[in-house]
Amino acid sequence: MVHVLSSRTLVHPTDPERSRAFYGEQLGLPVYREFGTGPERGTVYFLGGGFLEVSGRSDAAAAPAVQLWLQVADAAAAHEELAAKGVEIARPPVREPWGLVEMWITDPDGIRIVLVEVPADHPLRYRPGI
């Protein structure tokens, strides 16, 4: 078995400055580290249990199958905060049939991001007998 020490999601945006403004200023992700210089420098954001690296540049947006799943403590509060910052909300928070509260947004290149609240009574938090 491979012993993974760390993991990160790597994004090569079409406009690195625009993406850094989105992830750093609008979403408010804390910067873990930065490297390189100039407009295509790398920025690694802390995502709780992982990292998101925005670096380099791509001529094309990411494939529609690429999505990010970010867990938040309160989806309704995240909705209010992001809407106030001008983030386009693709879908407001909704409690799904599987019990999670999900809200959808997109980054500047169209990467779908689901912000997920795990309610206290959901099996991801509560497992009887354990």
Side-chain angles (χ1 to χ4, degrees):
M1 178 166 92
V2 175
H3 182 75
V4 177
L5 299 176
S6 178
S7 66
R8 75 177 54 162
T9 299
L10 179 61
V11 173
H12 294 301
T14 57
D15 183 338
E17 289 300 331
R18 181 181 67 176
S19 291
R20 271 191 283 281
F22 175 79
Y23 288 107
E25 296 167 22
Q26 289 186 295
L27 284 188
L29 297 179
V31 173
Y32 173 69
R33 73 181 194 93
E34 293 183 287
F35 57 91
T37 59
E40 295 178 29
R41 70 189 179 280
T43 304
V44 180
Y45 297 96
F46 184 66
L47 291 179
F51 302 96
L52 173 69
E53 179 178 323
V54 176
S55 64
R57 181 182 296 268
S58 176
D59 293 331
V66 174
Q67 300 176 11
L68 296 177
W69 192 95
L70 305 177
Q71 185 176 338
V72 297
D74 184 334
H79 178 261
E80 288 180 27
E81 179 182 343
L82 294 174
K85 290 181 176 181
V87 173
E88 184 178 336
I89 308 298
R91 197 190 79 182
V94 172
R95 184 155 187 157
E96 300 291 354
W98 46 89
L100 298 175
V101 178
E102 296 185 4
M103 177 179 103
W104 288 90
I105 61 175
T106 57
D107 88 344
D109 283 322
I111 294 175
R112 291 178 48 177
I113 301 169
V114 59
L115 300 177
V116 178
E117 175 186 337
V118 181
D121 62 346
H122 193 275
L124 287 174
R125 286 198 188 196
Y126 175 72
R127 296 187 295 171
I130 294 180

